[in-house]
Amino acid sequence: MRKHNSSHGSSLQFRDVQPGVKVLLGGAIAWTLAWKGVSLWRAARNGSKPWFATLLVSNTLGVLDAVYLFGVDRRHRSEHREELAVLAATGEPEQGAHRQET
């Protein structure tokens, strides 16, 4: 058993952490990075600056990222598919970079 020197306080170093905790920590980091990477990529592709900024600065272990991917992005993709179907049915070309006016 190691004695702690009172002049250094009781700081915990990574090498002192149990292996199981290290595995959990590594898994949480990998989980978060995977969700964050996909959600940031989709938000950037969709041109959603507010969502991109929010997702970039938040750290919710993938919860907010999943909300974006399965809620907001899914709705955006559904609307885009419907628009493409209408354009295909009418024979009109896609409008490219022009946003739909509301």
Side-chain angles (χ1 to χ4, degrees), residues 5-7 15 19 22 34 41-42 47 59-60 65 79:
N5 188 344
S6 61
S7 65
R15 68 175 177 259
K22 288 180 183 179
W41 179 72
R42 291 248 184 102
N59 186 12
T60 59
D65 304 281
E79 290 169 359

Side-chain angles (χ1 to χ4, degrees), residues 79-90:
E79 290 169 359
H80 184 69
R81 279 193 298 269
E82 290 172 8
E83 181 181 341
L84 290 177
V86 169
L87 292 175
T90 60

